[in-house]
PDB file of all heavy atoms in Angstrom:
ATOM      1  N   GLY A  88     -18.442  19.703 -10.168  1.00  0.00           N
ATOM      2  CA  GLY A  88     -19.374  19.334 -11.203  1.00  0.00           C
ATOM      3  C   GLY A  88     -18.697  18.695 -12.401  1.00  0.00           C
ATOM      4  O   GLY A  88     -19.392  18.474 -13.472  1.00  0.00           O
ATOM      5  N   LYS A  89     -17.374  18.471 -12.371  1.00  0.00           N
ATOM      6  CA  LYS A  89     -16.687  17.915 -13.490  1.00  0.00           C
ATOM      7  C   LYS A  89     -16.054  16.621 -13.078  1.00  0.00           C
ATOM      8  O   LYS A  89     -15.748  16.277 -11.916  1.00  0.00           O
ATOM      9  CB  LYS A  89     -15.603  18.942 -14.056  1.00  0.00           C
ATOM     10  CG  LYS A  89     -16.263  20.191 -14.636  1.00  0.00           C
ATOM     11  CD  LYS A  89     -15.183  21.033 -15.270  1.00  0.00           C
ATOM     12  CE  LYS A  89     -15.781  22.245 -15.976  1.00  0.00           C
ATOM     13  NZ  LYS A  89     -14.729  23.041 -16.563  1.00  0.00           N
ATOM     14  N   GLN A  90     -15.711  15.822 -14.181  1.00  0.00           N
ATOM     15  CA  GLN A  90     -14.946  14.570 -13.884  1.00  0.00           C
ATOM     16  C   GLN A  90     -13.527  14.823 -13.621  1.00  0.00           C
ATOM     17  O   GLN A  90     -12.941  15.819 -14.013  1.00  0.00           O
ATOM     18  CB  GLN A  90     -15.099  13.617 -15.101  1.00  0.00           C
ATOM     19  CG  GLN A  90     -16.476  13.065 -15.343  1.00  0.00           C
ATOM     20  CD  GLN A  90     -16.461  12.034 -16.413  1.00  0.00           C
ATOM     21  OE1 GLN A  90     -15.664  12.123 -17.380  1.00  0.00           O
ATOM     22  NE2 GLN A  90     -17.392  11.161 -16.264  1.00  0.00           N
ATOM     23  N   ARG A  91     -12.898  13.899 -12.860  1.00  0.00           N
ATOM     24  CA  ARG A  91     -11.427  13.974 -12.566  1.00  0.00           C
ATOM     25  C   ARG A  91     -10.711  13.953 -13.893  1.00  0.00           C
ATOM     26  O   ARG A  91     -11.034  13.071 -14.785  1.00  0.00           O
ATOM     27  CB  ARG A  91     -10.975  12.881 -11.591  1.00  0.00           C
ATOM     28  CG  ARG A  91      -9.582  13.053 -11.114  1.00  0.00           C
ATOM     29  CD  ARG A  91      -9.374  12.137  -9.969  1.00  0.00           C
ATOM     30  NE  ARG A  91     -10.193  12.382  -8.784  1.00  0.00           N
ATOM     31  CZ  ARG A  91     -10.048  11.732  -7.663  1.00  0.00           C
ATOM     32  NH1 ARG A  91      -9.049  10.913  -7.460  1.00  0.00           N
ATOM     33  NH2 ARG A  91     -10.901  12.008  -6.595  1.00  0.00           N
ATOM     34  N   GLU A  92      -9.716  14.744 -14.120  1.00  0.00           N
ATOM     35  CA  GLU A  92      -8.978  14.774 -15.388  1.00  0.00           C
ATOM     36  C   GLU A  92      -7.465  14.781 -15.169  1.00  0.00           C
ATOM     37  O   GLU A  92      -6.921  15.145 -14.223  1.00  0.00           O
ATOM     38  CB  GLU A  92      -9.349  16.027 -16.183  1.00  0.00           C
ATOM     39  CG  GLU A  92      -8.909  17.251 -15.629  1.00  0.00           C
ATOM     40  CD  GLU A  92      -9.133  18.448 -16.523  1.00  0.00           C
ATOM     41  OE1 GLU A  92      -9.641  18.318 -17.694  1.00  0.00           O
ATOM     42  OE2 GLU A  92      -8.825  19.597 -16.121  1.00  0.00           O
ATOM     43  N   LEU A  93      -6.712  14.198 -16.234  1.00  0.00           N
ATOM     44  CA  LEU A  93      -5.263  14.201 -16.076  1.00  0.00           C
ATOM     45  C   LEU A  93      -4.669  15.544 -16.089  1.00  0.00           C
ATOM     46  O   LEU A  93      -5.052  16.361 -16.953  1.00  0.00           O
ATOM     47  CB  LEU A  93      -4.777  13.387 -17.341  1.00  0.00           C
ATOM     48  CG  LEU A  93      -3.271  13.472 -17.601  1.00  0.00           C
ATOM     49  CD1 LEU A  93      -2.492  12.690 -16.603  1.00  0.00           C
ATOM     50  CD2 LEU A  93      -2.927  13.016 -19.042  1.00  0.00           C
ATOM     51  N   VAL A  94      -3.731  15.793 -15.181  1.00  0.00           N
ATOM     52  CA  VAL A  94      -2.967  16.978 -15.307  1.00  0.00           C
ATOM     53  C   VAL A  94      -1.544  16.662 -15.862  1.00  0.00           C
ATOM     54  O   VAL A  94      -1.133  17.127 -16.812  1.00  0.00           O
ATOM     55  CB  VAL A  94      -2.744  17.604 -13.997  1.00  0.00           C
ATOM     56  CG1 VAL A  94      -1.848  18.876 -14.014  1.00  0.00           C
ATOM     57  CG2 VAL A  94      -4.198  18.020 -13.414  1.00  0.00           C
ATOM     58  N   ALA A  95      -0.853  15.722 -15.174  1.00  0.00           N
ATOM     59  CA  ALA A  95       0.532  15.393 -15.650  1.00  0.00           C
ATOM     60  C   ALA A  95       0.887  13.999 -14.994  1.00  0.00           C
ATOM     61  O   ALA A  95       0.487  13.795 -13.880  1.00  0.00           O
ATOM     62  CB  ALA A  95       1.534  16.352 -15.245  1.00  0.00           C
ATOM     63  N   THR A  96       1.700  13.207 -15.697  1.00  0.00           N
ATOM     64  CA  THR A  96       2.229  11.986 -15.135  1.00  0.00           C
ATOM     65  C   THR A  96       3.799  11.974 -15.518  1.00  0.00           C
ATOM     66  O   THR A  96       4.191  12.490 -16.576  1.00  0.00           O
ATOM     67  CB  THR A  96       1.496  10.782 -15.659  1.00  0.00           C
ATOM     68  OG1 THR A  96       1.639  10.679 -17.062  1.00  0.00           O
ATOM     69  CG2 THR A  96       0.008  10.756 -15.279  1.00  0.00           C
ATOM     70  N   VAL A  97       4.387  11.162 -14.730  1.00  0.00           N
ATOM     71  CA  VAL A  97       5.839  10.848 -15.013  1.00  0.00           C
ATOM     72  C   VAL A  97       6.129   9.458 -14.714  1.00  0.00           C
ATOM     73  O   VAL A  97       5.766   8.970 -13.508  1.00  0.00           O
ATOM     74  CB  VAL A  97       6.732  11.867 -14.302  1.00  0.00           C
ATOM     75  CG1 VAL A  97       6.440  11.920 -12.754  1.00  0.00           C
ATOM     76  CG2 VAL A  97       8.152  11.596 -14.593  1.00  0.00           C
ATOM     77  N   THR A  98       6.827   8.743 -15.567  1.00  0.00           N
ATOM     78  CA  THR A  98       7.088   7.319 -15.352  1.00  0.00           C
ATOM     79  C   THR A  98       8.412   7.221 -14.516  1.00  0.00           C
ATOM     80  O   THR A  98       9.113   8.132 -14.332  1.00  0.00           O
ATOM     81  CB  THR A  98       7.279   6.493 -16.626  1.00  0.00           C
ATOM     82  OG1 THR A  98       8.459   6.997 -17.329  1.00  0.00           O
ATOM     83  CG2 THR A  98       6.114   6.713 -17.524  1.00  0.00           C
ATOM     84  N   SER A  99       8.649   5.959 -14.091  1.00  0.00           N
ATOM     85  CA  SER A  99       9.920   5.712 -13.358  1.00  0.00           C
ATOM     86  C   SER A  99      11.105   5.981 -14.286  1.00  0.00           C
ATOM     87  O   SER A  99      12.275   6.255 -13.775  1.00  0.00           O
ATOM     88  CB  SER A  99       9.941   4.257 -12.914  1.00  0.00           C
ATOM     89  OG  SER A  99       9.659   3.391 -13.950  1.00  0.00           O
ATOM     90  N   GLY A 100      10.933   6.005 -15.598  1.00  0.00           N
ATOM     91  CA  GLY A 100      12.032   6.207 -16.520  1.00  0.00           C
ATOM     92  C   GLY A 100      12.145   7.735 -16.861  1.00  0.00           C
ATOM     93  O   GLY A 100      13.039   8.163 -17.604  1.00  0.00           O
ATOM     94  N   GLY A 101      11.198   8.538 -16.317  1.00  0.00           N
ATOM     95  CA  GLY A 101      11.257  10.025 -16.577  1.00  0.00           C
ATOM     96  C   GLY A 101      10.484  10.516 -17.661  1.00  0.00           C
ATOM     97  O   GLY A 101      10.433  11.732 -18.056  1.00  0.00           O
ATOM     98  N   THR A 102       9.653   9.607 -18.386  1.00  0.00           N
ATOM     99  CA  THR A 102       8.801  10.075 -19.410  1.00  0.00           C
ATOM    100  C   THR A 102       7.555  10.738 -18.848  1.00  0.00           C
ATOM    101  O   THR A 102       6.903  10.297 -17.992  1.00  0.00           O
ATOM    102  CB  THR A 102       8.293   8.855 -20.245  1.00  0.00           C
ATOM    103  OG1 THR A 102       9.463   8.237 -20.813  1.00  0.00           O
ATOM    104  CG2 THR A 102       7.352   9.358 -21.402  1.00  0.00           C
TER     105      THR A 102
END
Side-chain angles (χ1 to χ4, degrees):
K89 295 188 177 181
Q90 290 187 331
R91 192 170 295 190
E92 65 174 359
L93 166 71
V94 177
T96 59
V97 54
T98 69
S99 54
T102 300

